[in-house]
Amino acid sequence: FSKIEFTAQGEKKHLTFEDTVYGPDFEPLVEAILLEGVFPRIICESAGTMAEDALAMKRKLFGLEKI
């Protein structure tokens, strides 16, 4: 999971969670995961901030950070 910049030719590059122009947003996925009660494995593919963004996703998913 990461935010992705697309062009007419398709995926251009993965971005970080700090990007505000491109999506997708993680919050709707968190809501769906909690609603369905599932435990998916989520791979973070953010550009250069994989560890930081993965920790942010974990915190949001386990309610340690507001969505």
Side-chain angles (χ1 to χ4, degrees):
F1 190 96
S2 70
K3 294 190 174 188
I4 301 173
E5 180 180 352
F6 283 92
T7 67
Q9 289 77 33
E11 182 180 310
K12 181 176 179 181
K13 64 180 177 178
H14 289 263
L15 304 164
T16 70
F17 276 22
E18 293 296 316
D19 186 86
T20 58
V21 176
Y22 298 96
D25 290 326
F26 185 62
E27 289 77 8
L29 179 58
V30 170
E31 291 172 7
I33 290 169
L34 296 175
L35 180 68
E36 295 296 323
V38 296
F39 300 94
R41 184 172 307 233
I42 301 171
I43 307 299
C44 183
E45 294 186 320
S46 295
T49 59
M50 284 186 270
E52 294 87 351
D53 289 354
L55 183 57
M57 287 191 287
K58 183 177 181 179
R59 286 181 173 154
K60 286 181 183 182
L61 186 57
F62 289 101
L64 302 174
E65 183 180 307
K66 281 192 168 187
I67 296 175

